[in-house]
Amino acid sequence: QVIGSKKGSDFVVLPIGVRGTLRLEAKNNLQVQVIHPLTGQVLDSRDLNRGQSLNLSGLEAYFLKGRLL
């Protein structure tokens, strides 16, 4: 399950129930932080261009916070 919201150029996404590797592909240029949903620790922070992907594995849930460029 994936829950998300967008306000202006800012967005948040919460994928829950991840098993194995979750591959996310950027549909627009963006900056994103991958945050541990329980501790708030930033696990990864990067800029992605349209078409680039981000692979997430190791947790069952993530909190992604970002901005469209």
Side-chain angles (χ1 to χ4, degrees), residues 39-58:
T39 67
Q41 177 185 1
V42 177
L43 304 173
D44 194 1
S45 182
R46 63 175 73 183
D47 293 345
L48 294 175
N49 292 321
R50 182 179 180 173
Q52 287 185 306
S53 61
L54 172 66
N55 293 316
L56 303 175
S57 62

Side-chain angles (χ1 to χ4, degrees), residues 1-2 14-22 35-38 43 56-64:
Q1 180 178 6
V2 178
L14 182 62
I16 301 170
V18 176
R19 293 201 171 115
T21 300
L22 174 64
I35 301 168
H36 192 288
L38 298 178
L43 304 173
L56 303 175
S57 62
L59 296 175
E60 290 188 21
Y62 296 88
F63 180 72
L64 287 84

Side-chain angles (χ1 to χ4, degrees), residues 25-30 49-52:
E25 183 177 324
K27 299 296 181 188
N28 296 292
N29 297 339
L30 56 89
N49 292 321
R50 182 179 180 173
Q52 287 185 306

Side-chain angles (χ1 to χ4, degrees), residues 5-14 29-35 44-48 54 63-69:
S5 184
K6 180 178 175 280
K7 182 177 181 182
S9 62
D10 296 326
F11 67 88
V12 293
V13 178
L14 182 62
N29 297 339
L30 56 89
Q31 295 174 326
V32 66
Q33 289 183 319
V34 180
I35 301 168
D44 194 1
S45 182
R46 63 175 73 183
D47 293 345
L48 294 175
L54 172 66
F63 180 72
L64 287 84
K65 178 181 173 184
R67 174 173 292 217
L68 301 175
L69 300 176

